[in-house]
Amino acid sequence: MSWRERKHEETYSDQEVEARLKAELPNWYLEKGWIRRKYKTSGWKSTLMIVNTVGHLAEAAFHHPDLTVSYAFVIVKLVNHAAKGITNKDFELAKKIEEVVMWQPGLDQNSSLEGTPDDPRFKYIKYD
């Protein structure tokens, strides 16, 4: 699906946000004006790994989400405060976060990276 060109800070309507999330980021949802995603982890160390990953990506993008951090989950919330709504910045950062956090190299047959072993001692994130 292709989305029409938008000005740098132009916001999407709620209906447009929901349609785009469904098409591009199905594990994200719109709630109270923010796009959100909950990442479940296996514990505090794993949660901190997710927080640091999101922090690095957000700082590199210079677009900063709100985070809710607990023992076994992280909730990422994105909105463009300056534009007072959801913009392309939010979708682009959400896609990058999703790509990096949910990366499973063991699923790629052409990769020499094995990925995390299927053993509870090594699990850190609960993949969808």
Side-chain angles (χ1 to χ4, degrees):
M1 179 177 269
S2 154
W3 303 100
R4 71 177 176 84
E5 285 292 317
R6 292 178 186 272
K7 295 177 185 167
H8 183 62
E9 299 288 321
E10 188 177 353
T11 61
Y12 286 83
S13 70
D14 285 355
Q15 294 79 16
E16 291 171 317
V17 170
E18 289 175 351
R20 190 160 176 192
L21 290 175
K22 183 178 180 182
E24 299 175 17
L25 293 157
N27 293 304
W28 289 70
Y29 58 96
L30 178 66
E31 183 179 84
K32 296 181 182 175
W34 299 72
I35 61 171
R36 302 168 187 242
R37 168 74 149 103
K38 182 176 186 177
Y39 293 100
K40 297 177 183 175
T41 70
S42 63
W44 184 241
K45 290 189 292 186
S46 305
T47 295
L48 291 177
M49 289 171 62
I50 301 300
V51 168
N52 286 321
T53 299
V54 171
H56 167 73
L57 296 171
E59 191 60 25
F62 204 64
H63 186 53
H64 304 95
D66 280 17
L67 302 176
T68 300
V69 179
S70 189
Y71 176 79
F73 68 84
V74 177
I75 298 173
V76 179
K77 295 173 23 182
L78 286 163
V79 70
N80 186 321
H81 295 285
K84 297 180 174 67
I86 306 300
T87 66
N88 283 329
K89 286 182 178 182
D90 303 297
F91 286 109
E92 288 180 38
L93 184 54
K95 284 182 189 178
K96 182 53 69 177
I97 291 168
E98 189 74 4
E99 174 189 334
V100 174
V101 170
M102 298 308 289
W103 180 48
Q104 295 182 67
L107 297 181
D108 181 354
Q109 300 294 334
N110 297 320
S111 177
S112 54
L113 298 171
E114 299 171 13
T116 308
D118 190 18
D119 181 325
R121 296 174 297 162
F122 302 110
K123 290 294 182 192
Y124 75 95
I125 189 165
K126 296 182 179 174
Y127 294 104
D128 299 321

